[in-house]
Amino acid sequence: MARTEIRISGLGGQGVILSGYIIGRAAAIFDTNFATMTQSFGPEARGSACSCQVILSEERVLYPYIRKPQILVVMSQEAYDKFAPELADDGILLIDSDLVKINGRHGSAVTFGIPATRFAEELGRKIVLNIIMIGFFTAMTGIVKEDAAREAILQSIPKGTEELNLKAFKRGLEYGKELRAKGTSKTKAASKPSRPAAKGKAAKASP
Amino acid sequence: MTQTAQATNEHPMAEWLRMDRMPHIWCSTCGIGIVVTCFTEALKKSGIDPNTVAIVSGIGCTGRIAGYIRLDSFHTTHGRAIPFATGLKLGNPRLKVVVMSGDGDLVAIGGNHLIHAARRNMDITVICVNNFTYAMTGGQVGPTTPTTAYASTTPYGNYENPFNLPRLAASSGAVYVARWTALHLRRLTKSIGEALHKKGFSFIEVVTPCSTLYARKNRLGSGLDLMRFYHDSSEIEHHAELEKINIEFQKKIVVGKFVDEERPTFIDGYNARMKEVFGDKFKEYGEENGQN
Amino acid sequence: MVPTDPQGVLTGAHFLDGDYACAEGAMAAGCRFFGGYPITPSTEVAERITQRFPMMNGIFIQMEDEMASMNAVLGAAWAGKKSMTCTSGPGFSLMMENLGLGVMLETPCVVVNVQRGGPSTGLPTLPGQADMMQARWGSHGDYEIIALSPNSPQESFDLMVDCFNLSERYRVPVLFMMDECVGHMTERVVIPSAENILVEERRYTADPPDKHLPYKADENLVPPMTPTGKGYRFHVTGLTHDERGYPVINADAQNKIVRRLVEKIRKNAADIIMLEEEQVAGADVVVLSYGISSRVVIPAVEKARSQGVKVGTMRLITVWPFPEERIREIAANVNSLVMVELNLGQVFLEMDRCARGQCKTFLVPHCGGWVHDPEDIYNVLMEAAK
């Protein structure tokens, strides 16, 4: 794995930073990669569009910021509008299709949607949205190992919430796996509304 | 002082002073020496091991006290004696920490530290020598200079309102507050003794003569005249209503002990809270944390 | 040196940002007093300390401002604690007067500055390296100081232990000059076991109180500390003083004390200075950097090397005292020295001074708020190689 740049984005309070932390931790502590996470601070981290950056690499990360993320995880429309344009041409866009409406094509990037908000509500706690997204991320990118992600989640969440969070992770992971099993590999076509993978609202709306 | 030393072989306070630093820099009839005497008397009577007492001073005439009293003593920067003392006390709770400094040092440049140490009920004693002026720098107006009084930077008379120090200290949370003048030797000594034994933030204002600058600029006569004025114009009123004890130029000075109450100190509060949270796992922070 | 108190050591592999790692390094080094005031981007250091201090008998106080913080740190150090504070630009400015008191009283302590963009409020959430000259000269008067600069969270941990050790060894406040980028960067940090973390214990005088002179220096020009509360009845002052600690207001006393304060650092510079050099021998161009800039430099260096340019690198882990001798040596053997830093030329001035016309000098400037584009560094390297 060469250098992979990832941006996780959404609203303040959605657990955006924690998602980046868990992905980085999974790679750097429970796997054998180098990971560098940086985050936006100040008012930006407290309201509206909030994001963090994770760089995964086989070698030590030197340049600390991302420039053209290969993976963009989006959990709010505002974050989508703000960050989608920077996505690398061959990148992967992962969205919560309940919250994000795709309104453009992003080079040859592929988009995968998951109704994560609905899943979170089904699990009884909207707060696990970010963990569902991590499960989805793990399935769709394969960049962190399942076990590493699971371990990183367990080590990063409040005690007593393990079961809920593991369920959330599993929900995201399995949805992603199903999507892939249905033949939706990382192709341009994945973002087309006609594909079976595009179950979410957002994907339906994409051009 | 020096005359006494000549008359007997040893200065009666030799044990408490750095005699190798005498003569001191204070002017004749200055009130700071009186405060030093009262403090050492009080300390002697207190039964406190002097080796555990630390003096912290800031800058100014009174700031030099730390240099003359033979105890562990720290002469710090202007205004910062209280935060230095805070670190000293928290670093080694076994120490009895006393701040002695002037009105400009403690109340102007260091005013924020004074109110916050009082608010926290930091377990230290603060003795504020109030001579109504910045004496070391030549008699400028200060935060306690009475309105209309002359100073080198108020050549037409002071047009600001001074602080009422006991009220400031009390409303900030001090658990012991008193005011005396340099004339009230016995009462001041007793008061310092009480303050030393008081757990928490104790504050004593001592109104002292500065004949060289304050008295001269205001044509108040000699140091003796100022002592006479204290004699004639001070009124003892314990637990006086603090809003009524402002010091106005050459008017009545209300003295006495105004506040003497109990409240948990900073360390008490910390220990209580942590015990609540961590139970027996928490080891209390206290005297055994005094290292070295 | 002795193995540290295990209570403060969180042995294991962690995913920590530079600020948290800094706090862990401090606790591992034996720091048990923290006085501070919140300021972005350094506050996480204090937050981590407050979470962990109660279980290791440490004491934290949030002071009313940075002047108070600095003084509380000095007071606690004199009370026997290993103590520290942490701040950023504006707070660092407020600490300067009393940093000088720390220097004058020869007080071991550590001051962390997580540098953001300035001047004034500047860029609270974005990186800068523009307080470097303030670190060197920020308090009034002549003095020498020690300043270290980490380039990763791991090093933030490791160097904090060094900071405390150096401060004890030389009785001087040690400045830890992080930058926001390292402070807010999360990476793998491995914390060794307590027996593998060696710490310098405070060296107290062996003399009895009646024979003791608080500022009588040893052969290293460092006086052993006087313990408070042990009957020494000693005096210390920010005024110019003699070996007794008594104020002496004349040029002779000034000459003695100021020279010693300066010389104790300069003469021990070899022990204090930590550098990381790579391919310096035979290089035509040597590029200097510190903190986050030292990471951003590498892609540029690699690219220049691929173009056949012989580039060496020197990373200043210790920035102050500056490695004068080494720079002079290198300057005699290269075409150019290049400095990469997030300011418009601060440590560059020292590099340029030490080069003394022996070679060309170049600066790759940046006003802060981000890190350099490696391409800009590359362009200067190619220019420097001409």
Side-chain angles (χ1 to χ4, degrees):
Chain A
M1 176 180 65
R3 178 183 169 107
T4 305
E5 299 186 349
I6 303 161
R7 185 188 290 282
I8 323 275
S9 61
L11 291 167
Q14 278 182 324
V16 168
I17 310 289
L18 181 64
S19 314
Y21 179 83
I22 288 171
I23 289 168
R25 193 173 188 182
I29 307 295
F30 302 108
D31 204 343
T32 53
N33 289 308
F34 287 89
T36 298
M37 186 190 93
T38 55
Q39 57 188 298
S40 305
F41 278 80
E44 201 188 337
R46 295 189 177 94
S48 61
C50 167
S51 93
C52 73
Q53 318 181 1
V54 186
I55 301 165
L56 303 185
S57 174
E58 280 164 352
E59 294 170 341
R60 190 178 180 212
V61 174
L62 297 170
Y63 188 82
Y65 299 126
I66 61 172
R67 284 185 277 206
K68 271 210 147 320
Q70 287 99 333
I71 303 170
L72 175 62
V73 180
V74 175
M75 296 185 253
S76 82
Q77 190 63 37
E78 197 179 340
Y80 168 77
D81 294 340
K82 187 170 174 185
F83 296 116
E86 70 176 20
L87 184 63
D89 281 346
D90 56 350
I92 302 170
L93 175 62
L94 301 177
I95 60 168
D96 177 342
S97 52
D98 291 334
L99 300 175
V100 180
K101 182 173 181 294
I102 300 284
N103 55 18
R105 287 196 57 162
H106 312 288
S108 50
V110 290
T111 303
F112 299 110
I114 176 171
T117 299
R118 198 194 322 145
F119 288 165
E121 279 163 2
E122 282 166 17
L123 288 167
R125 291 295 305 276
K126 223 175 143 181
I127 201 161
V128 295
L129 163 71
N130 62 337
I131 305 296
I132 295 172
M133 288 308 283
I134 292 173
F136 190 53
F137 172 96
T138 307
M140 300 315 288
T141 67
I143 198 164
V144 292
K145 291 198 183 90
E146 265 180 57
D147 287 348
R150 202 174 282 118
E151 199 55 37
I153 289 169
L154 286 175
Q155 302 280 325
S156 310
I157 52 161
K159 284 205 172 66
T161 67
E162 290 87 350
E163 203 189 322
L164 174 68
N165 279 292
L166 285 181
K167 263 190 206 160
F169 175 73
K170 197 173 164 209
R171 193 78 182 87
L173 186 78
E174 282 177 356
Y175 185 83
K177 283 181 176 172
E178 278 167 33
L179 213 55
R180 299 189 68 151
K182 281 176 187 161
T184 315
S185 59
K186 288 182 205 171
T187 63
K188 291 175 201 176
S191 61
K192 285 185 181 170
S194 56
R195 302 292 296 189
K199 281 181 177 171
K201 286 182 221 161
K204 275 179 203 156
S206 67
Chain B
M1 272 182 159
T2 33
Q3 279 173 356
T4 323
Q6 281 158 5
T8 63
N9 283 330
E10 179 136 310
H11 191 288
M13 285 168 68
E15 195 200 330
W16 298 95
L17 299 178
R18 299 184 207 280
M19 297 309 288
D20 51 352
R21 289 210 61 211
M22 296 296 138
H24 55 68
I25 63 157
W26 297 314
C27 307
S28 102
T29 78
C30 172
I32 299 172
I34 294 170
V35 180
V36 173
T37 308
C38 293
F39 171 76
T40 52
E41 276 306 308
L43 183 55
K44 249 192 277 183
K45 287 178 188 156
S46 73
I48 296 167
D49 174 3
N51 288 343
T52 64
V53 180
I55 305 291
V56 186
S57 287
I59 296 297
C61 291
T62 312
R64 294 300 186 98
I65 286 181
Y68 297 126
I69 297 190
R70 207 169 70 80
L71 293 168
D72 289 348
S73 61
F74 300 87
H75 183 216
T76 65
T77 48
H78 197 21
R80 316 300 164 212
I82 289 177
F84 192 101
T86 296
L88 207 52
K89 179 69 191 179
L90 294 183
N92 184 352
R94 202 172 62 88
L95 296 173
K96 175 68 65 182
V97 180
V98 181
V99 171
M100 283 199 249
S101 222
D103 47 301
D105 185 81
L106 286 170
V107 186
I109 188 167
N112 199 34
H113 310 312
L114 173 72
I115 59 174
H116 284 280
R119 171 180 66 78
R120 297 183 181 111
N121 201 21
M122 193 53 63
D123 187 13
I124 60 176
T125 294
V126 175
I127 300 174
C128 177
V129 176
N130 180 8
N131 57 12
F132 303 122
T133 192
Y134 286 92
M136 183 72 95
T137 47
Q140 292 76 33
V141 71
T144 58
T145 309
T147 310
T148 75
Y150 292 97
S152 74
T153 47
T154 50
Y156 309 110
N158 183 20
Y159 40 84
E160 288 188 26
N161 286 316
F163 265 130
N164 167 342
L165 296 185
R167 190 181 180 197
L168 177 69
S171 57
S172 303
V175 289
Y176 184 95
V177 180
R179 175 198 276 161
W180 302 101
T181 78
L183 187 78
H184 298 88
L185 296 183
R186 277 186 305 114
R187 292 176 194 275
L188 174 59
T189 305
K190 180 168 174 259
S191 197
I192 293 173
E194 287 175 1
L196 287 174
H197 283 297
K198 190 80 197 173
K199 202 167 165 230
F201 189 84
S202 50
F203 180 86
I204 301 173
E205 175 187 11
V206 191
V207 175
T208 59
C210 171
S211 59
T212 307
L213 292 158
Y214 181 74
R216 185 169 57 80
K217 284 184 197 298
N218 288 289
R219 299 171 191 276
L220 301 176
S222 66
L224 190 62
D225 291 323
L226 284 175
M227 293 295 255
R228 200 167 285 132
F229 169 73
Y230 297 159
H231 177 268
D232 297 340
S233 307
S234 50
E235 235 178 73
I236 298 174
E237 190 189 344
H238 295 304
H239 299 285
E241 281 181 67
L242 292 176
E243 59 270 33
K244 291 182 182 161
I245 65 161
N246 290 358
I247 295 179
E248 290 173 49
F249 185 63
Q250 291 302 96
K251 299 248 173 77
K252 183 174 78 176
I253 301 174
V254 177
V255 296
K257 178 167 80 176
F258 306 124
V259 176
D260 190 353
E261 58 189 37
E262 306 294 325
R263 195 159 68 83
T265 65
F266 176 91
I267 292 177
D268 291 340
Y270 173 71
N271 282 336
R273 182 69 198 157
M274 292 306 137
K275 261 193 278 183
E276 235 174 270
V277 175
F278 295 109
D280 292 341
K281 275 190 292 178
F282 176 71
K283 189 165 162 276
E284 260 192 46
Y285 193 81
E287 297 203 353
E288 65 281 7
N289 292 103
Q291 292 178 358
N292 77 47
Chain C
M1 297 224 272
V2 298
T4 196
D5 168 15
Q7 280 189 103
V9 185
L10 203 64
T11 303
H14 308 272
F15 196 52
L16 295 178
D17 74 4
D19 281 0
Y20 275 8
C22 167
E24 288 300 334
M27 292 182 283
C31 174
R32 294 293 181 272
F33 179 89
F34 188 109
Y37 188 82
I39 184 167
T40 304
S42 76
T43 313
E44 291 87 343
V45 179
E47 287 171 348
R48 183 80 172 192
I49 293 263
T50 55
Q51 288 158 19
R52 306 228 310 115
F53 253 16
M55 284 300 126
M56 63 187 80
N57 246 248
I59 190 101
F60 167 90
I61 183 168
Q62 185 167 310
M63 295 301 287
E64 51 274 15
D65 57 40
E66 287 89 348
M67 296 173 284
S69 304
M70 188 67 230
N71 273 280
V73 165
L74 298 179
W78 277 97
K81 287 279 187 291
K82 286 191 176 176
S83 64
M84 73 173 290
T85 187
C86 181
T87 190
S88 186
F92 198 54
S93 292
L94 286 176
M95 286 178 186
M96 283 299 124
E97 184 201 9
N98 296 292
L99 179 74
L101 181 66
V103 170
M104 195 62 150
L105 301 186
E106 301 184 62
T107 310
C109 61
V110 176
V111 176
V112 177
N113 178 356
V114 187
Q115 294 174 88
R116 58 196 234 185
S120 190
T121 313
L123 299 169
T125 58
L126 295 171
Q129 294 179 320
D131 305 346
M132 297 309 294
M133 276 299 174
Q134 186 183 23
R136 175 63 189 87
W137 297 108
S139 198
H140 54 280
D142 255 333
Y143 62 96
E144 281 276 352
I145 200 91
I146 298 175
L148 309 187
S149 181
N151 79 353
S152 66
Q154 178 68 56
E155 206 173 57
S156 183
F157 175 88
D158 297 339
L159 291 185
M160 271 306 273
V161 178
D162 293 319
C163 282
F164 276 95
N165 288 345
L166 288 167
S167 80
E168 294 295 336
R169 201 174 308 150
Y170 296 107
R171 278 191 68 176
V172 68
V174 172
L175 307 178
F176 194 50
M177 302 299 286
M178 254 204 271
D179 48 67
E180 185 275 341
C181 191
V182 171
H184 280 167
M185 160 196 282
T186 307
E187 291 185 336
R188 180 185 172 93
V189 174
V190 179
I191 299 180
S193 60
E195 61 265 32
N196 289 314
I197 298 172
L198 296 181
V199 297
E200 194 90 39
E201 287 197 309
R202 188 150 302 173
R203 189 166 59 100
Y204 286 107
T205 179
D207 296 335
D210 56 330
K211 297 233 165 50
H212 176 60
L213 293 170
Y215 287 102
K216 189 169 164 31
D218 65 8
E219 66 287 353
N220 260 342
L221 305 178
V222 185
M225 283 288 279
T226 313
T228 306
K230 297 281 181 189
Y232 281 82
R233 308 249 196 131
F234 65 106
H235 180 56
V236 296
T237 175
L239 287 165
T240 293
H241 48 266
D242 59 15
E243 289 185 336
R244 296 173 300 172
Y246 290 0
V248 182
I249 309 302
N250 63 40
D252 271 355
Q254 174 76 353
N255 188 51
K256 273 186 197 141
I257 181 82
V258 175
R259 274 192 194 278
R260 189 173 62 72
L261 291 178
V262 166
E263 293 296 321
K264 76 173 175 181
I265 305 298
R266 288 191 186 163
K267 288 204 166 152
N268 292 300
D271 176 56
I272 301 167
I273 291 172
M274 290 181 272
L275 299 172
E276 197 175 79
E277 291 183 14
E278 200 227 352
Q279 297 187 32
V280 169
D284 292 325
V285 178
V286 170
V287 53
L288 275 74
S289 57
Y290 54 89
I292 189 59
S293 303
S294 66
R295 290 170 69 156
V296 178
V297 154
I298 298 171
V301 168
E302 282 169 357
K303 188 172 170 190
R305 282 177 186 156
S306 73
Q307 299 300 304
V309 181
K310 288 183 189 161
V311 189
T313 58
M314 176 191 274
R315 179 160 76 94
L316 306 171
I317 299 169
T318 305
V319 180
W320 309 123
F322 192 69
E324 299 203 18
E325 279 178 41
R326 184 63 188 139
I327 299 294
R328 226 170 281 155
E329 245 170 58
I330 294 173
N333 295 303
V334 296
N335 293 337
S336 310
L337 284 173
V338 179
M339 173 62 74
V340 181
E341 53 183 343
L342 292 176
N343 59 56
L344 298 188
Q346 293 197 4
V347 184
F348 167 76
L349 297 174
E350 280 291 87
M351 183 190 81
D352 187 59
R353 177 179 70 79
C354 296
R356 289 189 178 161
Q358 295 184 96
C359 69
K360 292 183 283 181
T361 58
F362 293 83
L363 167 70
V364 191
H366 192 297
C367 291
W370 209 246
V371 296
H372 289 83
D373 184 338
E375 205 54 28
D376 294 340
I377 303 170
Y378 169 75
N379 290 337
V380 176
L381 291 180
M382 297 311 281
E383 174 76 20
K386 278 181 193 164

